[in-house]
Amino acid sequence: MASSLDTVFSALADPTRRAILTMLLEDDMAVTDVAEPFEMSLAAISKHLMILTKAGLISQEKRGRVKWCKLEPDALRAASVWMQGFGQFEPIHLDAFERFLEVELNDTLPAGDTV
């Protein structure tokens, strides 16, 4: 599972690949349509698509002469479950923590000294 997570997170690390996934949320797209909004070559987009495919985040299918890309949302499930494990902790409230430290430190300082 760690290897699979590494591949998914590596694929998600690039902003172009995240943008492609966002585009594919709407519908399947032809590779040329995926490439259109980006200022890079079709070959560069194809490399990004290959990385997304290897990570299992998208699938590619040839329909006639056109290659189509489809989002595979289940591929994010393992990453999502892994990340949710970190949601079990309460967020740290720094203001409250600072007040706590101030009280604790003032209680341990000699009379008349404050933090």
Side-chain angles (χ1 to χ4, degrees):
M1 180 168 139
S3 171
S4 163
L5 279 177
D6 290 348
T7 304
V8 169
F9 283 120
S10 178
L12 294 173
D14 184 86
T16 299
R17 291 192 286 270
R18 290 192 306 270
I20 291 169
L21 292 175
T22 301
M23 292 167 51
L24 292 174
L25 277 171
E26 298 295 320
D27 200 4
D28 298 357
M29 295 178 75
V31 170
T32 53
D33 293 334
V34 170
E36 187 177 313
F38 300 101
E39 292 185 18
M40 61 180 72
S41 69
L42 191 55
I45 288 295
S46 292
K47 287 181 183 180
H48 283 295
L49 294 174
M50 187 56 62
I51 291 168
L52 291 170
T53 301
K54 286 182 180 178
L57 297 169
I58 68 167
S59 58
Q60 295 186 62
E61 171 187 20
K62 195 152 190 170
R63 298 179 199 160
R65 294 184 182 187
V66 179
K67 197 173 212 181
W68 288 81
C69 301
K70 176 183 177 182
L71 183 67
E72 297 294 340
D74 287 342
L76 286 174
R77 188 177 317 265
S80 178
V81 168
W82 183 82
M83 288 186 297
Q84 286 174 4
F86 293 98
Q88 67 186 339
F89 303 106
E90 290 292 321
I92 297 172
H93 299 288
L94 295 179
D95 291 339
F97 183 61
E98 186 176 328
R99 286 191 299 274
F100 168 78
L101 285 177
E102 187 176 321
V103 168
E104 288 298 310
L105 291 174
N106 283 335
D107 286 349
T108 60
L109 292 175
D113 289 347
T114 60
V115 176

